[in-house]
Every structure is written in C-alpha cells, then in structure tokens.
Amino acid sequence: MERVAALDEPLKKILGGTTAKVLAEHLGLETVGDLLHHYPRRYAERGELTRLADLPLDEHVTVVARVADARVLTFNHGRGQRLEVNLTDGSGRLQLVFFGRGSHKPHKDLLPGKRAMFAGKVSVFNRKLQLAHPEYELLDREADSGAVDAFANQLMPIYPACQQMASWKIAKAVDAVLPSAQDAVDPLPPALREGRGLVPLTEALLKIHRPGTKADIADARARLKWDEAFVLQVALARRRLAETQLPAVPRQLIPGGILDAFDARLPFTLTEGQTKVSREIFDDLATEHPMHRLLQGEVGSGKAQPLDALVLTPRGFRPMGAMAPGVEVVVPSGETALVDGVFPQGEREVWRLVLSDGSTVECDDEHLWIVSSRATGECVRTTRELRSRLLDDDGRPRWSIAPATPVDLDDGGHRPLDPHALGRTLGAGGAGPAGRTVPDAYRNAPVKDRRALLHGLLDGGGERRGTDGVFRAGPAPLAADVAWLTRSLGGTARIAPAGDGAAAVTVRLPGDGAGGADFRRAVTAVEHVGRRPVQCISVAHPSRAYVTDHFTVTHNTMVALRAMLGVVDSGGQAAMLAPTEVLAQQHHRSITEMMGELAEGGMLGGAEQGTKVVLLTGSMGAAARRRALLDLVTGEAGIVIGTHALIEDVVQFHDLGLVVVDEQHRFGVEQRDALRSKGKQPPHLLVMTATPIPRTVAMTVFGDLETSVLDQLPAGRSPIASHVVPAKDKPHFLARAWERVREEVAAGHQAYVVCPRIGDDEDDGAAKGKAAKGKKASGAQEEPSSPEDLAEKRPPLAVLDIAEQLRTGPLAGLRVAALHGRMAPDDKDAVMRRFAAGELDVLVATTVIEVGVNVPNATAMVIMDADRFGVSQLHQLRGRVGRGSAPGLCLLVSEMPEASPARARLAAVAATLDGFELSRIDLEQRREGDVLGQAQSGVRSSLRMLAVIDDEEVIEAARDEATALVAADPELTGCPELRTALSALLDEEREQYLDKG
C-alpha cells in the first residue's frame, strides 16, 4: 500500500502551494497520480508546434516563432500605451499585444530576431490574429542552450493547459513527479498484458510524458488506452453480473387484466419494431432478476385532412377547417366525443383514396385508416402504406374499409316534409328545395328518417330487390345524395353515368341476414391531388377515432404504455421519470387520455380493472402532493409520472415494479439508482432515449444495459434545412432570418425562437455588473480585443428580452409569446396549448421545448447564441420542426468568428440530420465523456486517453476480456491490482452498488 500512497501524495507537498492550487482549481489535478495521468495532448519537434498558418480561434495554443518586429503605441491622448510584437514562423504571422506596465519586460526581451515559445488564447483584433498578454519563454539565450538542445533532440509534449498555467510549466511539474511513476499499480493481469503485447504501465507513463521516438508514443498510448477500456469494462461487467444476482419480482403477463383491456381499445396493430421490442421487454420482466434495458429511438407520425374534408358531428357533417376544441364529433362505434386538440399542418401533399363503390376521401400521406385484409385482419395503416401495396398477388384490392355504425343526426332545424313523400317526389323528378337534391334537413336526420327517405327515393325513381335497389336516371347531384344516404346507413352505393347528366345508383343495404363484411368497400386506387392546407384533430375518446366523410374512419396515434400496464397487472407499480415538468405533464395528460376510464381505478365511473395514474412534480400544491404520495404508498396509484421530485426521500411506493427513465441523457446513474432503491426488491428498469447513440458509446456509457433499438424513422418527417447565421460578421443575414420567419407565418406555419437564458431584472443586473467588473479589470484598451471576448462578456441572450424585441421590431404584428421553465405549470401549459392550436405565430422559449413538444405546423426555428448549446442539444431542438409534411428550417445564430471551434461545431450540425453522425461529432469534440454518470457528482472524467468513437476495436476487445474475467472470478480475488484500480475509478457508493452481487 506504500506504493499507492506515493501516487496519492498531494501535489502541494512536491510542487508548493501556489502551483498546486492552480493545478487543482483550473485543471482538477490534486495528487501525484492525477498529474501523471494528465497526458500530453500532442507532441512537436522544435519549431513544429502549432503553425501560425493553422492557429484555431478561441483556443489556448503554444507556438514557437521568431520576433519580426516590435513597437510601442500610445492611445487615450498618450495616457495609455501598448506593445505590439509581430511573430513569424515561415507559415504565417501573429501579433502579440501587451498593455501598460505589463509591456515593460517583454519590450526588453522580445527583440527582433529572438526566438521563443509563446502561449495564450488566440483572438482577432482589426482582422489580425492576436495573443493578448501571452506567456513566453525565450529559447535563444545562451543560458538556455540546454533547453535549445533538448528541444532540438527530442519530442516536446504539449499538455492541455489553461490561461493560468502554460504547457511548459505543466511539463516542469510533471518532471518533478515523474520518478513516482515506478510506484504505479499495474491493473492488467500479466497474461492479458503479455498476450496483447502491451508495455508495462511504468514504462508507458515514462514514454507518454518523455518519449524519445514516435514509436514510444504509440506504445504508451496503446497501453494506456487498454488500461482505461479494460478497467471500465470490468466495472460494467461486474455491474451486469450484480444485476443478474439481484432478486426481482417476476412480472408475468396476466391475461384478462388492464393490459388486455387497453389492447382491446386499440383500433390498430403495433408496428413490427414495436412488437419485437415489446417481446424483449416482457421476456425480461418475467425473469427473477431486474430488467436493465436501454430503448433508443422514437417513432411518431402526424396525420391530417384538407380543411374542406367533412367530419361527422351529432349535428351533421362539418368541415375539418371548422373543428375547434370542444366540438362534439361521432366516433366509429356511434358514440360521441369532444375534440381536445386541433393541429394546423400548413400545406401538405394530399392524396385521394378511391373506393370500390366510386366514393373518394382526401387526406395526407400519414393519415391512419382502420382497414382489413385477408392477410392481416383488422389493422391500422397509413395512406403511404396503403398506396405502397394496393393489390394482393392475385390482383385483387388488398385493403377494405368497414362502414361506421349508423347514428342519429340532428341539424337542429324543423323538417316540415314527410321523408317518404319527399323521397317519392324527388324520385319521380319533382323539384327539391335545393335544386333536385336532398335538403340538409334530411341528410342530417335520425337513422329512421334517412332510411324512409331512401326508400321513398327508390319507390319513386327506381326498383327494389330485397335489400338491394337501383335508382335509375336521376340527375347526377341527386344520384350522389342517394349514394350518400345509402353509405350513411352502413350500405354500399355505386354510381354509373347514364348520359345527359343523369346517373344510375346501385344500392345495397344491410338486412335480411346479409353479412357486414359484404358492405366493406375496397381501396381500388390512391391518386395524388397536390398541396393543400390541412389539419388534424385529437379526439378525447379511448378509441381516439372519429368518422370522416363517406363514413370511413380514422384515428390519432397513441404511445404504447404496455410495459407499465403489464407490471400493474402483476400487482406492481410503475414510475416514469421525466426530465422536465412540461414533459411530465404531457406524459400524464396523454397517458390518462389514452387509457380513458382505465386510468380512473377506484373512482366513480372508473373501469373495474383500472388503476390510478398520478402526477408528481416539484411545483404541485401541498394538498395535491399529499394525495399523490398517499396514492403511491397505499398502492392506489399503479402508475406515477414525475420529475426529480420522485427521487425525494418522502416518496414511498407500495410495490415499485418498474422504473421508466425518459430522456436518459438528462439523468446520471445515481439518479436512476436513487429511484430504483425505493422498491422492496430492485425494480425492473427501462431507460429510454431519443438521442442516437453510436454502438461504441452504448458499450461504454450504457455498458450495463441491454439495448433495444426502434430504428424506424418517424413517419412523415420532412427534411430540415439548417443554416448558420453569422450575426456579427453579416448582420444582414440575421435580418433575413427574421424575414424568413415572417414568410413561414404568412404561409400558415409557426416558428420557435430559442434562447439560452430566461432573463429578468435581477439576472440582467448581475450579468451587467459582472461584465463591467471584467471590463474595469482588463485595462484601458480602446476596443475589445476580439468578438469572442465580447460574446463572453455579455450574458447569453434571454427569452424575455428577445420576445419583447421581436414584438416591437422585426416580428411586429405577429402573435409572439414567451415560454420558460420559471412559469407556473398551468401558464406553461396554456401557452403550449395556444401554440398547438395555431393561436400563436412565434414561441420564444428556452430549452423547455427540447423534448416532448409536438406541433407539426411549426416549420421554422431560430436558435439564438447557438454556440452556447451542445451538438446533441441542438439536434434535439431542431427535431421540433419538420414534424409535418412541410419542410423544416433551422437557423443557428452565432456571433462567433468563422474560424472558431464553436462555428465549426455549428457548421457540423448544419451539415447533417443524421443523429448518429452528430453524436460522433459531439464525442469527437468533447473526447472524454463521463461514462459512469460522474458529472453529476463532480468527479473528473475517467477517460483521458481512450476515445470512445475512434477506439471501437479496443473497447470491444476489452469488453470481451472483462466479461470472461468477471465470469471466472467475480470478486477479482486473483487480481488485487485490478481491484485497486477499480476503487480509484468508482466512488464508495458505486463500489457498494457493485458489491451487492
């Protein structure tokens, strides 16, 4: 243990308090071991550091160059002075600037012809690259001839540095602790190290810090990557093994329970991908050990009809464009239900379904149809799916649509004429109130009146053959009404032209034992109509379905809750953890709406096999919170949806059986485990993320989870064009961005504007004070040294400020509203509902809209200060547009200079919509991710050398070796050095978690 203690020695004992404090505060290095594992970022031979021609903006760099010239300038009427030094290295030029008293020493040292190493942050001033007040070390003085020889004869390590500690100072600190490398504990079993041809750890540490050749660097990196990958994979393998050893209550599927009742309500079948994933989940739930599964991917679709399409209401058909929340509509079973959401979609491509009886229905490509076929039975298919395979192999129509249940209608008017008499009059060629067509008063009538009217028409102008009949030679408008009346009664009607504007209608009505299947109408063709304004509606009925013109039926998509319902059937409870209150409320609302009375267990009117679904968030009132907590501890509530509030100690469950974590990237392992610890036995765990995860990352970040992927792309998603808007370099581009927003709104669409901060007087005052303080401390320079410095000094743009500026400026006259996390939940909900209903044109918001907000009519997004968001976050935000059929537009506004890393990151986001590619870019730029969720506990990342994107082969091989080792020796009794390395990787809480096995 003495050797371990040598690496645990605090740096202040060796380097002194001042240096140790800087290393600890700015680089997180506190012990000898920390510094030994602070590896060089790259190496250079003398003069081969960052070339001046390749300098990246906004980064700390180290360069070797020669002084070309130096001059002292004055400003502020001679009261201030600055030293400007121009450097060259043969590839380019760089300017150094020193102010005031800080210019005296460099003025004496940096004479023309002198050669030195310089370190500082690259900025731009007057269109020239610049280092302000850089640190430097002369290389050409005789006293430093040893340093010159050293630089000439060996590779120079360049360390990740900071403004307070240049790379060469870190190198000197490493020199002081390098002898301790011989005390490093080698975690790799000797057989593995020798079998892989890896150098010993002590040798690797010496070679990584002080290599003699490039081959030394390669050997050291190969060894150190294996250390990181192997130790991490052993930790994950032990966690997986521990999971298999933990007891869990098997949650077997129980027939005849709430899951079956829920499934029976679904008027569609699950997709193939959903079925496969459901099977994996239910297989895991049935075992005696906790399920530990990651579900990645999202599947969704929007569906809409033209505004002149007809929707059946109890008062007769009304245009889709007249639908509004609260309007009563008829569902296929004949019941009525209220419209609870209206979602304008702007213009979409519209298709016309042609049915076997000649009737047609128009809709968009994602419209859902309850259809049947010989192969599938009754199921739900989109228009796109119907038209992709219209015919069976034998050439017969593949899909058919059943009639809806005939319902009594009432237009509220007085019907003065007898239906039989009117029918005979019209059938005999008499004049009708609407020019030889059936008046609305009789179209929107009870079933018996419509039937009597149809019989009168057949009596007066046709012949009847039992349940069938032919109405002969009627005017075309009247023939269409005869067909409509027949279909409204659940029958079929085929119109055939009879010349001179007349038509004949062949009629079949249910009755006399005729089978209902005989009255299904086949889909014979799907025709393209063109782009038309469309919208979709949401219906507050368990079936989520409604009746549209010609008595075909459609319904809204719903999210499957089947895993949670299966656990409730087995006597357990399910908890869903959502990252924000907005998303938790949306989940709660959609789940209770979909379940209907099944979500009202124990309440008056609730279903017998139902359960209670409760919401638990931090902003709930005390009374509602007490009720929710009581429902959980007594078991009254089978399902709870909540935020971090679920993790609090006061929350207790009767029998927690399943934890569902939504948007996993927002939570750490500790938070997952805190919720899981509330079960009497460890509950099953389903982790969901819509963020694409490359395979190598899944093996590391989520290496303790089995993985399921829903890789079907969201149906109907339209392409999203993304562009970077350089607001500082080209202000007219930003003006054009607001013009584009106005254009989208004029076209019937909506837009988001996203800001990184909420903003209020207190925040603004603090930010301004901080900026002023920084300005005062920076000296009396005439102008800011660079645009990015200016961007750093000003606070991030705020929702409240931008919303007001847009209302009175570039978006004046549009309906603009703000949304942010500090608003009361009811207020947030009200704003989102107004936006979803099309009552607002532009929503200025923080990242509360990042997940779970679905407004298909929103086609444009402007992200202000986009450089302040991560790649994955930008991709999530961008996914809020392009959800309908209209193309999406995402504008990434930034004040960063074109050559800066921040702009490069934004350009990468704009260049691709592939989430997996973007997650690779994100990881390549950040390199080290906190793979065990340690960011939440403030522990430094465990990965320093391993790149989870580039080192797939190493990770895969290490996973195989680790799995085999842990299976053979779970306690690692034969590998004490490896146990020591694990202790360093894992904090005490993690080690206890792993030791449960």
Side-chain angles (χ1 to χ4, degrees), residues 238 241-246 970-971 992-997:
R238 294 192 74 209
L241 182 66
E243 291 293 335
T244 65
Q245 304 301 312
L246 289 172
E971 297 303 316
Q992 289 172 354
Y993 177 83
L994 291 175
D995 284 343
K996 287 178 185 175

Side-chain angles (χ1 to χ4, degrees), residues 111-281:
L111 302 175
K114 289 290 186 182
R115 204 156 183 271
M117 279 196 298
F118 301 90
K121 184 178 177 183
V122 183
S123 59
V124 172
F125 182 64
N126 282 343
R127 300 188 178 182
K128 293 180 181 177
L129 294 177
Q130 181 187 85
L131 298 183
H133 283 278
E135 292 194 66
Y136 62 90
E137 185 163 283
L138 295 173
L139 296 178
D140 291 341
R141 289 188 297 189
E142 289 183 14
D144 286 335
S145 59
V148 174
D149 291 341
F151 286 123
N153 297 325
Q154 71 176 14
L155 292 160
M156 184 188 305
I158 307 300
Y159 289 90
C162 60
Q163 194 168 359
Q164 294 78 11
M165 180 75 67
S167 172
W168 60 81
K169 291 187 177 179
I170 295 173
K172 289 178 179 177
V174 169
D175 284 338
V177 300
L178 204 51
S180 298
Q182 64 183 338
D183 297 324
V185 175
D186 195 327
L188 294 191
L192 189 156
R193 179 173 61 77
E194 291 163 10
R196 295 276 169 185
L198 300 170
V199 301
L201 178 58
T202 297
E203 184 180 334
L205 288 172
L206 292 172
K207 284 182 172 180
I208 199 71
H209 288 292
R210 298 295 175 262
T213 65
K214 292 180 180 177
D216 287 348
I217 299 171
D219 288 346
R221 281 180 168 162
R223 168 59 210 259
L224 295 169
K225 283 182 178 184
W226 252 94
D227 276 20
E228 291 181 4
F230 183 70
V231 173
L232 174 59
Q233 291 300 333
V234 167
L236 293 169
R238 294 192 74 209
R239 174 171 284 179
R240 289 195 300 273
L241 182 66
E243 291 293 335
T244 65
Q245 304 301 312
L246 289 172
V249 177
R251 304 292 176 176
Q252 305 270 3
L253 286 177
I254 307 294
I258 190 170
L259 176 60
D260 282 352
F262 180 74
D263 283 350
R265 296 166 174 272
L266 297 183
F268 63 88
T269 53
L270 299 175
T271 66
E272 185 179 334
Q274 289 169 323
T275 302
K276 173 177 171 288
V277 169
S278 289
R279 195 179 308 118
E280 292 171 348
I281 289 171

Side-chain angles (χ1 to χ4, degrees), residues 256-266 541-543 558 561-562 564-566 568-569 588 590-614 636-639:
I258 190 170
L259 176 60
D260 282 352
F262 180 74
D263 283 350
R265 296 166 174 272
L266 297 183
H541 186 270
S543 72
M558 64 186 69
L561 305 169
R562 303 177 73 250
M564 291 200 285
L565 296 177
V568 172
D569 274 340
H588 180 258
S590 62
I591 285 171
T592 52
E593 285 176 354
M594 284 184 293
M595 289 176 61
E597 66 266 25
L598 292 175
E600 298 170 356
M603 293 186 278
L604 189 63
E608 185 180 342
Q609 71 270 58
T611 188
K612 195 179 281 188
V613 180
V614 301
E636 280 288 309
I639 296 175

Side-chain angles (χ1 to χ4, degrees), residues 959-994:
R959 181 183 170 98
D960 292 343
E961 294 273 13
T963 303
L965 176 67
V966 171
D969 183 8
E971 297 303 316
L972 306 178
T973 51
C975 307
E977 295 85 1
L978 181 55
R979 282 194 67 91
T980 302
L982 274 179
S983 298
L985 174 68
L986 304 172
D987 56 34
E988 187 177 344
E989 180 183 341
R990 289 175 197 283
E991 191 59 40
Q992 289 172 354
Y993 177 83
L994 291 175

Side-chain angles (χ1 to χ4, degrees), residues 722-724 878 892 905-914 918 921:
S722 302
H723 304 283
V724 179
R878 177 171 58 184
L892 307 169
R905 190 172 71 247
L906 295 182
V909 173
T912 180
L913 293 173
D914 185 333
L918 285 173
I921 292 168

Side-chain angles (χ1 to χ4, degrees), residues 154-451:
Q154 71 176 14
L155 292 160
M156 184 188 305
I158 307 300
Y159 289 90
C162 60
Q163 194 168 359
Q164 294 78 11
M165 180 75 67
S167 172
W168 60 81
K169 291 187 177 179
I170 295 173
K172 289 178 179 177
V174 169
D175 284 338
V177 300
L178 204 51
S180 298
Q182 64 183 338
D183 297 324
V185 175
D186 195 327
L188 294 191
L192 189 156
R193 179 173 61 77
E194 291 163 10
R196 295 276 169 185
L198 300 170
V199 301
L201 178 58
T202 297
E203 184 180 334
L205 288 172
L206 292 172
K207 284 182 172 180
I208 199 71
H209 288 292
R210 298 295 175 262
T213 65
K214 292 180 180 177
D216 287 348
I217 299 171
D219 288 346
R221 281 180 168 162
R223 168 59 210 259
L224 295 169
K225 283 182 178 184
W226 252 94
D227 276 20
E228 291 181 4
F230 183 70
V231 173
L232 174 59
Q233 291 300 333
V234 167
L236 293 169
R238 294 192 74 209
R239 174 171 284 179
R240 289 195 300 273
L241 182 66
E243 291 293 335
T244 65
Q245 304 301 312
L246 289 172
V249 177
R251 304 292 176 176
Q252 305 270 3
L253 286 177
I254 307 294
I258 190 170
L259 176 60
D260 282 352
F262 180 74
D263 283 350
R265 296 166 174 272
L266 297 183
F268 63 88
T269 53
L270 299 175
T271 66
E272 185 179 334
Q274 289 169 323
T275 302
K276 173 177 171 288
V277 169
S278 289
R279 195 179 308 118
E280 292 171 348
I281 289 171
F282 283 123
D283 285 348
D284 283 358
L285 288 173
T287 65
E288 295 181 351
H289 305 294
M291 174 176 73
H292 216 204
R293 185 166 289 278
L294 169 69
L295 174 62
Q296 53 171 318
E298 58 180 343
V299 177
S301 65
K303 50 263 130 217
Q305 286 189 279
L307 301 184
D308 58 358
L310 298 176
V311 176
L312 187 59
T313 75
R315 305 281 299 271
F317 280 100
R318 297 289 180 269
M320 170 64 83
M323 292 296 103
V327 170
E328 204 172 18
V329 297
V330 177
V331 302
S333 63
E335 301 170 273
T336 60
L338 295 179
V339 172
D340 63 354
V342 176
F343 308 98
Q345 309 287 299
E347 282 194 356
R348 282 191 179 186
E349 299 297 329
V350 170
W351 301 83
R352 180 184 296 119
L353 263 66
V354 181
L355 305 179
S356 57
D357 63 353
S359 61
T360 62
V361 187
E362 293 182 355
C363 54
D364 81 333
D365 226 354
E366 303 310 319
H367 198 72
L368 294 166
W369 300 94
I370 302 175
V371 293
S372 64
S373 76
R374 287 172 289 175
T376 64
E378 188 164 281
C379 58
V380 166
R381 292 291 185 267
T382 63
T383 308
R384 177 185 286 107
E385 291 172 306
L386 296 184
R387 66 186 179 85
S388 68
R389 190 176 177 192
L390 270 178
L391 304 178
D392 277 330
D393 294 337
D394 58 8
R396 292 163 61 185
R398 181 176 181 80
W399 310 105
S400 61
I401 298 176
T405 303
V407 293
D408 290 337
L409 304 173
D410 180 9
D411 72 348
H414 177 61
R415 290 183 297 277
L417 299 178
D418 176 70
H420 283 279
L422 176 64
R424 287 192 293 272
T425 301
L426 293 174
R436 305 180 68 85
T437 61
V438 176
D440 283 346
Y442 287 89
R443 289 167 60 94
N444 300 334
V447 169
K448 64 180 180 60
D449 283 357
R450 275 180 279 143
R451 190 181 298 275

